[in-house]
Amino acid sequence: LREARIDATVAPDAAAFATMLREGAGFAIATEDALRDADLRGLAGFIADQEEWSDFPFIVLTGRGGGLERNPAAKRMLEVLGNVTFLERPFHPTTLVSLANAALRARMRQYEARSRLEEIREGEARLRVALVAGGLGAWSIVLKTNELTVSPEGKAHYGRRPEDTFGYAEYIDSVHPGDRPRMLAAVRETIATGADYDIEYRTVWPDGSIHWVQVTGRLEYNLRGRPERMV
């Protein structure tokens, strides 16, 4: 691995192996012999403590392949380690280097995914602050199922408390009967044309009082370019 310019460190036993992984690594290589009778609780703990973006890659060198029919012990390693590639011995060094580079690339993609998740979370946090500061509410609806999600501030605009149930049926019922056809027509137009949703209408609160709201929305599309939700 070092000849292939991949920095590598040898762990003397399974406990040290798990400790080194927690300190940071791009991937790990272990022999089946070293894992077969080892206490794998440290490794299992490392795997269990991974963040949601992480799926740490292992390469296990085996003398009987990775198929369960030829190597029943592989099942235990799959259960403990999760993301495992088995490499049957004997093998050519270039095969090991190729797998190592593939594992590194996969790990780098995971770190890129982590960065995107962090950016999304930071953006959501800033949005929540802006919504609260502006007295605004957030909502989203899945077009296929009419699953509606509304923030506590959004519920307040319809006279609801944060803990109140406020699904699609309750939402439709809350729109003033005189404005409901116009509101539904605007939703259909947005879905059909992709134009932004922007409307004002009256709402009827549970106590019978009438209030005005202004609602804006935009379509989000799936990978096939079809409208999936409005937010």
Side-chain angles (χ1 to χ4, degrees), residues 30-50:
T31 64
E32 182 182 38
D33 314 72
L35 297 178
R36 184 182 297 114
D37 300 320
D39 183 349
L40 301 183
R41 286 178 294 181
L43 282 175
F46 165 73
I47 299 298
D49 292 341
Q50 291 186 105

Side-chain angles (χ1 to χ4, degrees), residues 65-122:
L68 301 182
E69 66 284 351
R70 291 181 55 202
N71 186 4
K75 180 179 179 181
R76 176 176 178 241
M77 285 179 274
L78 283 170
E79 291 174 347
V80 174
L81 303 179
N83 184 8
V84 182
T85 299
F86 291 97
L87 178 57
E88 187 171 3
R89 296 176 290 189
F91 54 82
H92 196 280
T94 56
T95 304
L96 176 62
V97 171
S98 177
L99 287 177
N101 281 317
L104 279 176
R105 289 193 298 270
R107 189 62 172 166
M108 289 303 298
R109 286 194 293 270
Q110 293 176 25
Y111 277 109
E112 292 168 0
R114 180 187 68 172
S115 298
R116 289 194 293 271
L117 283 173
E118 290 174 348
E119 291 173 358
I120 290 171
R121 286 170 179 161
E122 290 173 0

